[in-house]
Amino acid sequence: MGAIATAARCRNCLNGCRDSVASPLRGPAERPGGWKSGMSLFVPLCYLQGALLAGLALAAPVATPGPVADENPDLLFASPTRIDHVGRIVVPVMIEGKGPFRFIVDTGASSSTISPQLALTLGLDPALQATMIVNGITGTAQVPSVAISRLQAGDLVIEDTRFPVVWAPLMAGADGILGVAGLRKETVFVDFRRNRVVISRSLAGSDRVGFDTVPAKVLADGLITVEGRIGDVRVQAVIDTGSERSIGNPALHAALYAQRRAGEIPNVTDVYGATTDVATGEMDLVPTITLGAVNISNVTVIFGDFHIFEVWGMEDRPAVIIGMDVLGTVNSLGIDFRRSQIYFDSSLRPDS
């Protein structure tokens, strides 16, 4: 198999830019293989093989269906995870009354970043004298920043804030990263079937019908986490739409794989990111992940002593970042910061 570049995690003191992982393309046995809700029958995870339906997500609480986006990726906002592609979530963003620009939604970052190209488009000069510290998965770095008076995405408005200027592989085709960790009243709702992404202070009751609701906890830094299990191991799971791959810390790896079989060779991959530091990670197929009433099977996690777990204070107990390799396989996803709840619609995709 060949190799693909997949994003892992990069955080700065205010936000997150992206790091990358060089890893082999996953084979059939390594795909996230299935969801199970409550006592229902096992439902195999399906990947969209044909056309992706497009519905423009407007900068307002309501988004409507639109044309097919296969020939125009600029119309694709809720991109699902498929066998050959890790999905991502994008919203249209207005900056200083200009736009819309395409920003990747990152629930694991409390602030936003913009690309050097967008800074040039807006006529902004990244100020080297006003650098910001970036905490990446493998280390730290100083990057230039720009001051922005107003940024708006749906009901979310950010005013008079300085953003780091960063480019990373995950941002290909996007103008920036919208960090939404730390929201208090809003809900991020993503419908992968209808290509709809909404950031709103209210969520229609009909949008929650048929969903599995998982109680969550919002930490002091805005991260939204779920207490769950991987196999028999209790774990703190970070719901992170900005991470392409799911990542585990050494404490989780030790709990799951205390004793390796003699002669077993670890599947090791290099991890590199926004800084010059390079780390290594070990890829393992983990037991079933249980989040509330939702069970997820056949997930490959990259384990390592990554800097980000130290930044988040998650070194001492088993912890995992649930990335888009898992989140992008459901029909719909809702993250309700006000109620501290996650909504999953993991029923069989009709267009698979």
Side-chain angles (χ1 to χ4, degrees):
M1 285 286 186
I4 56 174
T6 57
R9 166 64 28 219
C10 166
R11 287 289 178 274
N12 65 37
C13 50
L14 294 176
N15 115 11
C17 63
R18 266 310 120 331
D19 286 332
S20 297
V21 178
S23 63
L25 188 64
R26 290 176 295 166
E30 295 175 323
R31 303 176 211 151
W35 292 72
K36 194 185 209 178
S37 304
M39 299 300 292
S40 63
L41 296 176
F42 179 79
V43 178
L45 222 341
C46 294
Y47 297 80
L48 296 181
Q49 303 292 342
L52 300 176
L53 298 181
L56 288 178
L58 305 177
V62 178
T64 57
V68 175
D70 276 344
E71 298 181 359
N72 188 355
D74 289 341
L75 296 179
L76 185 58
F77 291 89
S79 172
T81 293
R82 299 176 290 177
I83 188 172
D84 59 348
H85 169 77
V86 177
R88 65 179 180 179
I89 301 168
V90 176
V91 291
V93 169
M94 300 295 294
I95 298 179
E96 316 291 29
K98 301 176 182 178
F101 304 105
R102 292 171 59 83
F103 273 55
I104 298 168
V105 177
D106 188 350
T107 58
S110 59
S111 188
S112 305
T113 65
I114 72 169
S115 69
Q117 181 59 46
L118 178 56
L120 181 64
T121 298
L122 294 171
L124 301 174
D125 183 18
L128 293 177
Q129 72 274 17
T131 59
M132 301 180 73
I133 298 295
V134 173
N135 281 302
I137 189 172
T138 58
T140 63
Q142 284 190 318
V143 298
S145 65
V146 293
I148 292 178
S149 299
R150 181 181 174 87
L151 179 152
Q152 181 171 5
D155 283 351
L156 175 63
V157 176
I158 302 172
E159 295 181 320
D160 300 323
T161 303
R162 183 168 287 277
F163 297 124
V165 179
V166 177
W167 187 89
L170 183 66
M171 293 172 65
D175 300 302
I177 295 172
L178 182 68
V180 296
L183 297 183
R184 290 293 179 262
K185 298 179 180 180
E186 290 82 3
T187 294
V188 178
F189 181 76
V190 185
D191 188 334
F192 291 105
R193 294 169 302 178
R194 298 178 177 85
N195 190 32
R196 185 167 69 124
V197 182
V198 179
I199 300 176
S200 174
R201 291 188 178 178
S202 62
L203 183 64
S206 59
D207 281 333
R208 295 193 295 268
V209 174
F211 277 55
D212 294 302
T213 301
V214 178
K217 180 179 180 181
V218 179
L219 304 184
D221 56 3
L223 292 176
I224 189 158
T225 66
V226 174
E227 293 295 324
R229 287 184 176 275
I230 299 183
D232 295 327
V233 178
R234 293 178 61 88
V235 65
Q236 184 177 25
V238 178
I239 305 300
D240 190 350
T241 62
S243 179
E244 280 193 357
R245 295 297 299 269
S246 296
I247 303 170
N249 69 355
L252 176 58
H253 190 268
L256 290 173
Y257 310 105
Q259 293 183 340
R260 286 238 177 235
R261 293 187 295 273
E264 184 176 353
I265 300 175
N267 187 2
V268 176
T269 181
D270 287 332
V271 179
Y272 53 95
T275 68
T276 58
D277 302 294
V278 179
T280 58
E282 184 173 333
M283 301 174 65
D284 278 295
L285 185 67
V286 300
T288 298
I289 301 175
T290 301
L291 305 175
V294 175
N295 296 319
I296 316 156
S297 62
N298 295 340
V299 177
T300 296
V301 172
I302 300 174
F303 292 94
D305 188 12
F306 300 128
H307 177 66
I308 193 58
F309 288 114
E310 179 183 351
V311 173
W312 287 347
M314 296 182 181
E315 315 109 287
D316 298 332
R317 59 166 293 190
V320 64
I321 296 169
I322 303 295
M324 286 299 296
D325 55 338
V326 173
L327 299 175
T329 59
V330 299
N331 278 323
S332 303
L333 169 71
I335 302 173
D336 189 330
F337 287 89
R338 182 169 67 87
R339 295 183 175 89
S340 297
Q341 293 178 334
I342 313 290
Y343 309 113
F344 291 108
D345 175 7
S346 53
S347 57
L348 185 67
R349 282 183 180 154
D351 46 0
S352 299

